[in-house]
Amino acid sequence: MQLSEFGLIGLGVMGKSLSLNLAENGFHLSLYNRHETGIEENVANDFIESDPLLKSAKGFDDLNKFVASLEAPRKILLMIKAGPALDKVIDLMIPVLEAGDVIIDGGNSHYKDTKRRIDYLANHQMHFVGSGVSGGEEGARKGPSIMPGGAKETYPLISRFLEAIAAKDKYGNACCTYIGSEGAGHFIKMVHNGVEYAEMQLIAETYGLLRYGGGHTPDQIAGIFENWMGQGLSSYLLEISINIMRKKENDSWLIDQILDKAGNKGTGSWTTIAAAELGVPVTMITAALFARYTSSFKNERIENSAAYNFEKNGTATSIDIDQLRDAYQIARIINHHQGFHLMQAASDDANWGLNFSEIARIWTNGCIIRSDLMEQLVEPLKTEHRILNMKSMVTLLEKNKTALGNIIKAGVNSDQAIPCFSAAATYLLTYTSAQSTANIIQAQRDYFGAHTYQRMDDPESGFHHTEWV
Ligand code: 6PG
């Protein structure tokens, strides 16, 4: 039997899409899906029969036979839900794998779990790669952005497969590159998702300001977003939001039928936790995460809306659409700055040596946060890692700062909750203020806890305590 050159385990939505992408790129595949009587039976072979692209693929529901069907060193992509199920499959495979074999985890696993698995497989002389895969079902089928980490010497064993199926940047290069050791690949995927949360929240807040603050209809908002797409603000998320605005159900807008309780699968909270552990203020990502949590208290919000008889300011006709566009533009830049700051801190802490220009490059296509802005960041990130310190960005933020402040006022005046816009404005002010009010915090800490403070007139003289009373 001719051995397959690449194996894939887990034929869910993403696994099936990636399998078709791999097959379309000419790879001979072995596909495995577990057998669960009455739930998942003959999944692999049924899938193979469903599409002519898979005519040369082999299907299995027996793990040992699946592994035996692969040429050595085996390259196996796991598309399994992050967590214990992944560890269970790895443990089932180890007895039938051999030294030098490669397991790639393409799920949204936690980067610390990935480091543990790399060490575990290394003890069996095997390679483990934690790889972010971004782009959803469509991206997986047509070309995702792929973020493989793990040992550098492992990447050449799998690069031809991953780079073949990855999306391509504007020069035709694969949106896939070796990210860094340990869990670096999954770490940047996590940050990608964090930036995604804030990008999505900004669009939601913009929608709220226009719909409930400015009285615009979803069709009118779609038109406004469409104009912005042509004004340098093009992004995948804004593009899909235009389609969402226009989606009708009978004669009504579908958006009005969607319950306003946001879910999440965890990557946004992981990003917030990682930022807290590294001491990095990803204030927009955290604002977006907590906005999702707040939305989940729907029943309480309904009760509270009746309990509080606020004086409503009514529709703020003062929302200037051009100012909203300018505010949205710089809020996104601040979001990206915070995300790259977090990756810089992690890279320094773990000594990963991340290449931020390359990260931006592989995020210019295939992934959920692909955008004109990401394209603009690739070149300057070669020399400046702090996005807000890039000359082009300083000029833009100086020009648009007033607009951001006016949008915050419009939000307050129209009773619109805008946590992400507010976080952006606050961060910008803090980031650019030579004098903050943290001296009060230091004084209070020294007052009640004798935690001491440094002096402005002699910061190098060490720490001081005052008997305050
Ligand atoms: C991607 C997406 C993908 C998934 C998110 C959803 O990059 O392709 O981000 O990873 O859709 O996990 O995350 P939430 O359910 O937390 O919004």
Side-chain angles (χ1 to χ4, degrees), residues 33 39-40 46 130 133 193-194 207 297 307 334 337 376 390 395 459:
N33 198 91
I39 301 170
E40 293 181 58
D46 289 350
V133 178
N193 281 29
Y207 163 79
F297 296 102
I334 294 164
H337 168 87
Q376 293 157 21
M390 294 173 179
T395 306

Side-chain angles (χ1 to χ4, degrees), residues 18 39 70 73 232 239 294 328 330 351:
L18 287 167
I39 301 170
L70 292 162
E239 182 184 359
T294 309
Y328 172 66
I330 63 170
N351 199 24

Side-chain angles (χ1 to χ4, degrees), residues 206-219:
T206 302
Y207 163 79
L209 286 163
L210 289 169
R211 183 83 190 270
Y212 305 115
H216 296 277
T217 69
D219 280 335

Side-chain angles (χ1 to χ4, degrees), residues 197 201 260-273 285-301 419:
Y197 274 43
Q201 179 65 24
D260 60 317
K261 288 175 67 172
N264 81 89
K265 295 199 184 86
T267 46
S269 59
W270 293 351
T271 310
T272 298
I273 293 165
I285 293 170
T286 304
L289 174 69
F290 290 145
R292 293 196 185 191
Y293 292 170
T294 309
S295 77
S296 68
F297 296 102
K298 175 72 174 177
N299 294 337
E300 291 84 345
R301 290 191 286 113

Side-chain angles (χ1 to χ4, degrees), residues 27 38 65 69 113 138 172 193 215 239 267 295 377 413-414 427:
F27 296 116
K65 290 177 181 170
S69 74
D113 289 337
E138 184 186 16
N193 281 29
E239 182 184 359
T267 46
S295 77
L377 293 174
N413 292 336
S414 56
Y427 182 85

Side-chain angles (χ1 to χ4, degrees), residues 419-451:
C420 240
F421 272 115
S422 305
T426 301
Y427 182 85
L428 180 59
L429 288 173
T430 311
Y431 189 77
T432 56
S433 300
Q435 177 65 48
S436 76
T437 55
N439 49 350
I440 300 297
I441 303 299
Q442 288 296 81
Q444 291 165 339
R445 291 177 69 242
D446 188 56
Y447 189 109
F448 61 67
H451 294 299

